[in-house]
Amino acid sequence: MNKMRYITTSILCLCVVSLFAFRNPESAKPSQAAVTYRINCAQATAQTDMDINNVRARLLVGGDVWWDGNSGQYVVPKVEPGEQEVSSIFAGAVWIGGVDPAGNLKVAAQQFGTSSGSSDFWPGPLTSTGFISEQTCADWDKFFTVTGAEIDLHLAQFQQAMADSTDYDVNLIPQGVREWPALGNEFFFDAFEFELPDPSQGALAGFWDENNDGIYTPQFGDYPTIEVRGCPDPQYPDQMKFWIYNDNGNVHTESGADPILMEIQVQAFAYETNDELNNMTFQRYKLINRAQESIDSTFFAMWVDADLGCSEDDYIGCDTTRSLMYVYNTDAVDGSAGSNCTGGVATYGENIPYLGVDYFRGPLAPKVFGPNGSLINPAIGQPFDTIVEIGMTSFIYFNRQSATTDPAQVDPTTAQEYYNYLTGSWLNGVPITEGGSGLGGTVPTNFVFPDEPNAAGGWSMCEAALPLEDRRTIQASGPFRLDPGQVNELIIGVPWVPNVSYPCPDMGRLQRADDIAQGLFNSCFDILDGPDAPDVNWVELDQKLIAVLTNDNISSNNKFEAYSELDPLAPTGQANATYEFEGYIVYQLADAGVSIDELDDPEKARVVFQSDVQNEGVDIFNWEEVENPNATALQEPTVFVPFLQIESENAGVESTFEITQDVFTGTPLINHTNYYYTALAYAYNEYAPFDVVTLDGQPTPYLEGRRNIETYIVTPRPITDRNLQAEYGDGAVVTRLDGIGAGGNFLSISDEERDRLFDAQDGQIPANYQGEIEYEEGGGPIEVTIIDPLRVTDGVYTLRLDQDAALETGNSSWELFDENDQSLGRGRSNLQNQNEQIFADLGLSVTIQQTDDAGD
């Protein structure tokens, strides 16, 4: 509990333990006893976790996030229940401040209100005039959650209903989609027993409006999306949380200021991926000014109390080119000597990460006229032609009160002190100056510690060797005029990088992770999914395992291996910039805890199976930026080099295989022993070769899918309840009834069939011959293979080629029927590409390939 202040006076012990003294006991709030107020909303209580990827981030409705009211809950890496958790952030919140036309200071801010009982924010949306009732506050003290998997299923079901020309059964709409608090949702009241605000008050949670009627109607194809200004094609993440809060539900007991009448709608979201995004979260704040008058000299800010495990041995800094705040450890051990990390606070030990908060988007500054009648940008005092978006205009910090803390750099307690920090000044209004702690110098600046920790002679906390403190940061935007009804956005991303080299670390890895996050924001969060991994069904046999890969789930983007996705990072108008499904890879894992980003480590994961499309593909390389070991003052510090991703086999897609060996030990599988596997699908696109000089072309031809990736635990075992009549890979007896061609196979008929076909005495074909040929098991022009000896049974099946399609297009397809002439399924791809098709219920697979012409 890294915020505890120990007080030995016995009379006080009970009360400080319950509060954990997150706020400074010396920092008393101004008395609000004489204030009366027309609204008496209760403080928010709802909490939830965002946990789709490697982060478990606690969210609260009442304005503060990333903690539970007692301890930091931004846990990275996310661990299994019962394991030791370590948090990288203690808390965070949005701050807002400005001055009304009468000169009154208005502030809405939050620090540790959940534990202290003080608050500037309450749940729920305001009316168009800025009012809210106590009942509305109570109703909206909750979160609304939807997952990408729910949206995928919803869209697949809707599209299937459209294809079948039937109405979409509303009972099939997944819960998160059905209960989304979007404008006009007719299902909302039945779920929560209170009404959505009147549509005249403006939009609520973002959604795609399929029928363009302005109302959320999921039964007609609408679905939840991330709402971002200027993004015409909204996207949806793997997990999204939505909630609404306001600053007019009661007296401002945090800042002591008058309310702004601000409504804040929040979308927090994350992605489950196999790259750095798997360690990130994102938050989009939509700020709606419900006041009836303008507020001048307004500032928005993100306040963060970032604690990497131990709270008192961290340094902070900023990258002004990226609007990035970052936190790192003072030395090579988190919680080392001299820091005060008592009270059971978990630390990172020697495996210390670093973390950043990227301020992607700030408020819009409306047009303001200067003395000569020209438009000026109030943020920089320069002319401009249109409304401007203000990014991070200042970065400052303050400390929890301690013996070494300057009084000008401690927690704010009054509205003016909050506003001073918002404007990029110290608690007492003194400007930041370059050097040292940022206080007491001679050169004014808007940003503290803008140089990297490892930059010799730069201004960083590491170079300044500042004393240990518990620090909080403020990334602010302003000043600007906030007009009535104005809608603004504040969007942040939180990159996190593990196992950093200390002390005074190089920020390169965090910057590269942040560039990925920035690229995702720049593309309107249009993430490249890659082909969904297949579902893997396992047949457990005596000292062997059979894997059966299927991709026929209704919500899979790679259903029947038909994945296709445009590369959003390709140049605008670039031809041939679409990734297509290329193949599968299956890994054996050392244990169940191996994560997707560790598959390149041969001690943790090894390939047991690979299969790819039969085409002209070559070995696939991706180009990555690395440090240039030969760099000089005249050379680039980094260079691009190719890394082999996959060696193409071009043998056609196979969907089943047998495992008899542990690839880690090289020994046969052992019965009743658990083995661990995971499967991936990958795609390929190279719209143009990559040029390391101009950086034109496709740097990443190889793309792994990021969804449906599972860890499978399977156990070989002897079969004692039946006698198996077949083995994996056995062929079936095939009889040709009509047609020509060998399908690229070596044909083999038995002596008995040969004698039947040719008269034994004169070698002539019998006069009554109808064209039938029976081949030996596995010797026919089509491959019918036993894949599951536990399921296969005797049966007679008929396979028919589509002759008309062959004649019209040159691409044959086929269909399989049972002995009652009922269809069991059609071929999913034309015969020019070999593709093993699974009939799991029959325990069989069918592979057919056209090699000669359309008549095969």
Side-chain angles (χ1 to χ4, degrees):
M1 305 297 182
N2 54 350
K3 303 299 174 191
M4 176 176 279
R5 292 175 56 85
Y6 287 92
I7 301 178
T8 57
T9 305
S10 59
I11 296 175
L12 298 177
C13 280
L14 292 177
C15 64
V16 298
V17 170
S18 64
L19 290 178
F20 254 87
F22 292 104
R23 297 303 309 262
N24 297 324
E26 300 86 352
S27 302
K29 294 292 181 188
S31 173
Q32 302 290 345
V35 177
T36 60
Y37 208 70
R38 59 195 173 100
I39 306 171
N40 190 31
C41 286
Q43 191 172 17
T45 61
Q47 299 186 16
T48 188
D49 282 337
M50 191 162 57
D51 56 3
I52 194 68
N53 56 17
N54 197 37
V55 183
R56 186 178 64 75
R58 181 64 52 87
L59 306 172
L60 296 86
V61 169
D64 41 2
V65 293
W66 301 330
W67 74 314
D68 62 4
N70 189 48
S71 60
Q73 294 295 320
Y74 195 89
V75 176
V76 203
K78 184 177 67 179
V79 298
E80 296 297 324
E83 296 183 18
Q84 179 70 67
E85 294 184 337
V86 187
S87 180
S88 289
I89 304 178
F90 190 83
V94 168
W95 289 8
I96 311 160
V99 180
D100 71 11
N104 298 311
L105 184 59
K106 296 192 172 186
V107 174
Q110 192 79 327
Q111 291 195 70
F112 308 110
T114 302
S115 68
S116 67
S118 60
S119 184
D120 280 6
F121 295 115
W122 297 269
L126 300 174
T127 66
S128 57
T129 58
F131 180 77
I132 190 170
S133 69
E134 289 90 337
Q135 185 60 52
T136 300
C137 285
D139 289 341
W140 284 86
D141 190 5
K142 58 173 49 67
F143 290 90
F144 306 89
T145 302
V146 68
T147 65
E150 287 181 304
I151 299 173
D152 288 339
L153 177 59
H154 167 63
L155 293 178
Q157 291 175 162
F158 172 74
Q159 292 161 4
Q160 187 64 56
M162 295 302 98
D164 295 341
S165 299
T166 61
D167 291 337
Y168 184 11
D169 184 352
V170 297
N171 295 310
L172 297 179
I173 300 174
Q175 181 179 357
V177 176
R178 183 184 177 92
E179 298 177 357
W180 193 238
L183 198 66
N185 183 2
E186 66 180 86
F187 306 109
F188 187 86
F189 182 83
D190 288 342
F192 302 106
E193 298 185 345
F194 66 91
E195 298 284 358
L196 289 167
D198 188 273
S200 64
Q201 292 182 220
L204 295 169
F207 68 97
W208 171 256
D209 192 0
E210 177 68 19
N211 58 2
N212 202 32
D213 64 352
I215 299 297
Y216 181 65
T217 49
Q219 67 271 35
F220 299 134
D222 296 356
Y223 58 91
T225 64
I226 304 167
E227 183 186 7
V228 177
R229 183 180 67 244
C231 292
D233 186 17
Q235 305 296 316
Y236 58 91
D238 292 334
Q239 185 183 51
M240 181 161 55
K241 306 275 187 175
F242 179 85
W243 70 102
I244 302 177
Y245 63 96
N246 70 87
D247 84 319
N248 197 35
N250 211 318
V251 175
H252 282 210
T253 52
E254 177 74 26
S255 67
D258 291 335
I260 299 170
L261 308 191
M262 184 68 71
E263 177 183 321
I264 303 175
Q265 302 178 5
V266 193
Q267 289 178 313
F269 52 96
Y271 300 86
E272 185 179 21
T273 70
N274 49 15
D275 62 8
E276 288 86 345
L277 288 172
N278 201 52
N279 294 324
M280 298 185 199
T281 64
F282 300 87
Q283 287 173 204
R284 183 258 186 184
Y285 295 85
K286 180 180 180 181
L287 301 107
I288 306 171
N289 181 23
R290 300 294 191 184
Q292 304 302 301
E293 58 188 10
S294 296
I295 302 175
D296 286 317
S297 303
T298 306
F299 291 83
F300 288 172
M302 191 70 201
W303 166 82
V304 181
D305 182 2
D307 298 345
L308 288 176
C310 179
S311 64
E312 297 189 3
D313 63 348
D314 297 329
Y315 282 157
I316 55 97
C318 73
D319 184 332
T320 58
T321 64
R322 291 178 168 84
S323 294
L324 176 71
M325 158 270 176
Y326 51 80
V327 57
Y328 58 101
N329 212 62
T330 57
D331 55 23
V333 180
D334 180 28
S336 57
S339 61
N340 183 18
C341 287
T342 55
V345 173
T347 69
Y348 284 102
E350 296 181 355
N351 299 315
I352 314 172
Y354 48 30
L355 172 143
V357 176
D358 192 324
Y359 197 88
F360 293 133
R361 171 168 284 173
L364 292 172
K367 295 178 180 179
V368 177
F369 288 92
N372 61 357
S374 63
L375 288 169
I376 62 169
N377 177 346
I380 58 176
Q382 298 296 320
F384 69 100
D385 297 325
T386 185
I387 293 176
V388 64
E389 181 180 298
I390 306 177
M392 186 176 78
T393 57
S394 68
F395 175 69
I396 198 170
Y397 73 102
F398 57 89
N399 306 315
R400 191 184 75 208
Q401 183 72 53
S402 71
T404 60
T405 300
D406 190 289
Q409 297 175 313
V410 298
D411 292 298
T413 60
T414 68
Q416 186 63 55
E417 291 172 347
Y418 275 95
Y419 188 70
N420 288 343
Y421 278 134
L422 277 166
T423 63
S425 302
W426 297 111
L427 186 82
N428 55 7
V430 173
I432 305 168
T433 53
E434 292 183 3
S437 69
L439 183 66
T442 58
V443 180
T445 182
N446 291 327
F447 303 94
V448 294
F449 314 119
D451 295 325
E452 294 189 27
N454 65 338
W459 184 28
S460 70
M461 276 197 167
C462 204
E463 276 287 296
L466 295 184
L468 299 178
E469 300 277 6
D470 182 6
R471 299 178 170 93
R472 302 86 148 94
T473 65
I474 303 168
Q475 296 160 270
S477 296
F480 66 99
R481 189 184 72 231
L482 183 65
D483 290 331
Q486 188 174 344
V487 179
N488 279 291
E489 290 180 328
L490 194 159
I491 304 177
I492 63 168
V494 186
W496 181 95
V497 175
N499 302 328
V500 178
S501 296
Y502 280 96
C504 300
D506 184 306
M507 286 289 131
R509 291 176 61 201
L510 184 64
Q511 290 166 342
R512 284 190 289 273
D514 184 57
D515 289 345
I516 292 174
Q518 182 69 52
L520 184 60
F521 169 76
N522 293 345
S523 67
C524 292
F525 295 101
D526 185 4
I527 190 171
L528 262 177
D529 289 317
D532 287 357
D535 294 319
V536 186
N537 298 309
W538 296 88
V539 183
E540 299 169 332
L541 300 173
D542 188 11
Q543 291 189 283
K544 68 176 64 174
L545 301 167
I546 298 168
V548 180
L549 280 58
T550 58
N551 226 329
D552 54 6
N553 189 294
I554 188 174
S555 60
S556 172
N557 72 4
N558 193 31
K559 186 178 180 181
F560 304 150
E561 287 83 39
Y563 162 83
S564 180
E565 186 176 15
L566 182 68
D567 182 357
L569 300 180
T572 302
Q574 175 66 55
N576 305 316
T578 300
Y579 282 101
E580 306 284 351
F581 168 74
E582 185 70 13
Y584 294 124
I585 308 174
V586 179
Y587 294 85
Q588 182 180 339
L589 309 178
D591 55 60
V594 176
S595 64
I596 192 66
D597 57 357
E598 296 177 307
L599 296 182
D600 290 335
D601 185 345
E603 298 301 314
K604 296 185 177 181
R606 299 186 185 183
V607 176
V608 296
F609 173 78
Q610 175 192 337
S611 175
D612 56 51
V613 174
Q614 187 175 28
N615 54 20
E616 299 301 321
V618 296
D619 295 347
I620 306 175
F621 294 81
N622 278 357
W623 294 81
E624 297 181 18
E625 188 176 15
V626 301
E627 293 183 6
N628 184 359
N630 302 315
T632 66
L634 300 178
Q635 292 178 317
E636 293 293 334
T638 60
V639 293
F640 282 86
V641 297
F643 288 88
L644 179 66
Q645 304 298 310
I646 200 76
E647 296 182 24
S648 297
E649 295 182 350
N650 301 318
V653 176
E654 298 179 16
S655 299
T656 66
F657 62 97
E658 183 180 62
I659 302 173
T660 60
Q661 188 178 72
D662 181 339
V663 296
F664 285 99
T665 64
T667 59
L669 298 183
I670 301 172
N671 284 338
H672 308 297
T673 298
N674 288 342
Y675 295 90
Y676 309 92
Y677 299 91
T678 194
L680 302 175
Y682 66 94
Y684 173 77
N685 172 261
E686 188 176 38
Y687 56 78
F690 183 66
D691 188 314
V692 296
V693 177
T694 65
L695 304 185
D696 293 330
Q698 174 62 282
T700 54
Y702 174 88
L703 175 66
E704 283 183 356
R706 67 181 188 86
R707 306 193 306 179
N708 198 44
I709 299 173
E710 305 286 345
T711 296
Y712 298 93
I713 305 174
V714 288
T715 310
R717 65 195 72 217
I719 305 301
T720 59
D721 61 342
R722 74 197 83 171
N723 293 321
L724 300 181
Q725 302 301 312
E727 293 285 342
Y728 169 79
D730 285 352
V733 175
V734 174
T735 299
R736 189 195 74 181
L737 303 179
D738 191 15
I740 61 173
N745 298 323
F746 181 82
L747 303 183
S748 176
I749 60 178
S750 65
D751 291 341
E752 292 79 6
E753 177 68 354
R754 187 175 292 105
D755 288 343
R756 186 186 71 81
L757 292 176
F758 298 96
D759 187 285
Q761 295 181 353
D762 58 16
Q764 299 298 311
I765 297 177
N768 63 350
Y769 175 64
Q770 299 297 313
E772 296 183 6
I773 301 176
E774 182 180 286
Y775 299 95
E776 288 187 322
E777 291 184 5
I782 63 175
E783 295 181 26
V784 181
T785 305
I786 294 172
I787 61 171
D788 188 350
L790 300 178
R791 288 195 179 193
V792 68
T793 60
D794 288 338
V796 177
Y797 308 97
T798 302
L799 187 143
R800 297 171 185 157
L801 297 175
D802 189 339
Q803 183 176 358
D804 292 338
L807 294 175
E808 292 176 8
T809 68
N811 297 326
S812 299
S813 61
W814 55 271
E815 190 167 5
L816 188 67
F817 298 84
D818 64 15
E819 50 194 324
N820 296 317
D821 210 31
Q822 297 296 311
S823 177
L824 299 172
R826 296 187 62 87
R828 296 195 300 262
S829 62
N830 69 67
L831 305 188
Q832 291 182 339
N833 296 319
Q834 179 172 310
N835 190 301
E836 182 181 18
Q837 186 157 330
I838 304 300
F839 293 86
D841 292 342
L842 307 178
L844 300 173
S845 71
V846 176
T847 306
I848 310 177
Q849 184 178 12
Q850 173 180 309
T851 58
D852 301 321
D853 55 49
D856 280 6

